[in-house]
Amino acid sequence: MSETTELYYPNRELAKEARIKNMCEYEDLVKWAEEDYEGFWAHYAKEKLDWFELFDEEKVLDESDFPFVKWFGGGKLNVAYQCIDRHLDKRKNKAAIIWEGDRGDKRIITYLELYQEVNRFANLLKNEFGVKKGDRVVIYMPMIPEAAFAMLACARIGAIHSVVFGGFSAEALRDRIIDAEAKVVITADGAYRKDKPYMLKPVVDVALEEETPVEKVLVVERNNEEIAWVKGRDYSYNELIQTQSATCKPEVMESEDPLFLLYTSGSTGKPKGVQHNQAGYILWAQMTMEWVFDVKENDTYWCTADIGWITGHTYIVYGPLAMGATTVMFEGVPTYPDAGRPWKMVEEYRINQFYTAPTAIRVLHKMGEEEPSKYDLSSLKVLGTVGEPIDPPAWKWYYEVVGGGRCAIVDTYWQTETGGHIVSPLPFATPIKPACATLPLPGIFGEILDPQTGERVPVGEKGYMCVTKPWPSMIRGVWGDPERFKKSYFGDVKKNGKPVYFTGDGAVYDELGYITITGRTDDVINVSGHRLGTAEIEAAIKKHPNVAEVAVVGKPHEIKGESIFAYVVLKDDEGLGDEVAEMKAINAVIKSEIGNIALCDDIAFVPGLPKTRSGKIMRRILRAIAKGEPITQDTSTLEDPSVVEKIQTIVNK
Ligand code: PRX
């Protein structure tokens, strides 16, 4: 059997009970969406969501201002209501969130308790801080249940949350606060990692040292370490929450009112605030939960992402809760106290669906190849991966050792901008093959196009991964920058003369029509599933006073997928006796500008960068050098061709 036809078929027993049981059912759904696109979506919007006022059937999709589209016009609803209130009749005593702390401490929050917690939180924001519909609230939190309460509390009162990953630095946090013009920050004193406390509130303090629009800071006291309190600005959640009422009427929201912003990196400039709106987002979050993870009423589902990323938004909080599932939230790291931690948790909670990133799988594989066999993992049915390409060896270990050859693997391809999965196997329908995202989900017109012609690329030829019709959970805009929205996503590829959404990823079809994502085509790199723009890292490095020029590229990395390689030209390299010290100093600047996730593994101090005569840096050459590959490109057009050899000598020494 050739590599491309190595197929693994779905588990027949599990398929009997699945929502989508076979490929015929998948194809029927695809066909329905092709034949009656608006009817397809209107059907699901009616079936899946509880509307305060149903949308106008004439306004299912409004493309008149494309690419600014509107879905479900005239509809009124509330996302927190979808995630909580409507489950109370049937599920008030069901676990909504099962939380496990780093140190093994546990909390189970039922739907009724979630209702009360979120309402108190919503009342606090509204009554104590004066947060109103449309206000922006930044959430800078560890993985504790209050992070989910905070998101849902914002949704309940119509405030727009912007969750900032807890690993970002004070500078990065400040940039995001300013860009969103947030008036409130919700944070925690800190949390625990590997049995030790770590702190977040001091980072907020630094972020707010300079002028920002923030008026109030709400602090959840989680680890009770000592922190500074600024009078009149900082308030203890633990105190204020005591007196809040546990009922709070959900704000009536229009389908297209903004729900949240989430900043993500692009190939140029600063991170952009990706905007998602109410109805379309929550609809697809719920539908993909049901289709791709096939979570059943009594199942326990665990996604290991951080709520600071889109995966945490859609597949820890919104998707699972919208469908009334039990979602597990974990504060710690998967390798502490050892690489058996996740499998121990799977055994203990009888987890049925487990969703994680390839980097975590590679680490768990490397550090604890045999660990899964020490635990009872028989509850598992679906294993998911997300965020970066997975390599076949890691995939096979996941399939065979973790999944016991019994579970489906769903390699889910999507992005912050897509809101939910766009290409993924259906666990009990799609025959899968290692490291392949397979087929677009029904309703998603995902196609690999030739950027020149706008035609579908032939089998085996690389093209651009596009979506040719607007779908409900797609990005609605870049906060404060409509031009950037158009340019970033609708500027590169046209099909039949009409701009289509381009993901920024390359992809290839196999003979089955399956899609394999080959990685970014732009200057975005993916380190441990974290998306970073080279421009952003370069801007940070340039803040070092002795840096004249810099170019950053990604280099393949066994565990992280990619690592960061920087080529730096110093202003004064006279004293460059101690490269290690210089490297540390540069990484210190990155740490303070962005955070630890953007630290460079390699820094080469070079006399110059390979540039064309017009001054463009030839990154392809730098990528090849970083990988240790021969240079195949013509270097004669460079301003100074000799620089390539000099760089090679330095890197190879
Ligand atoms: O390059 C693709 C990669 O992650 C990018 C999106 O990153 P972000 O917006 O941070 O969202 C991550 C979680 C959805 C994509 O442009 N990517 C995501 N999923 C996959 C992937 N690459 C390969 N295979 C995947 N399954």
Side-chain angles (χ1 to χ4, degrees), residues 67 274-276 417-418 471 473-478 485 489 501:
V274 170
Q275 181 186 327
H276 282 290
E417 293 86 343
T418 65
W471 68 106
S473 71
M474 72 189 282
I475 175 176
R476 290 302 195 277
V478 170
F485 168 66
Y489 305 106
Y501 176 84

Side-chain angles (χ1 to χ4, degrees), residues 264 309-311 385-390 411-417 437 503-505 517 519-520 526 529-531:
T264 192
W309 308 109
I310 191 68
T311 308
T385 76
V386 57
E388 43 175 334
I390 179 163
D411 179 345
T412 63
Y413 167 73
W414 60 297
Q415 335 175 270
T416 305
E417 293 86 343
T503 58
D505 286 301
I517 303 296
R520 302 287 306 192
N526 195 324
H530 299 152
R531 180 168 155 186

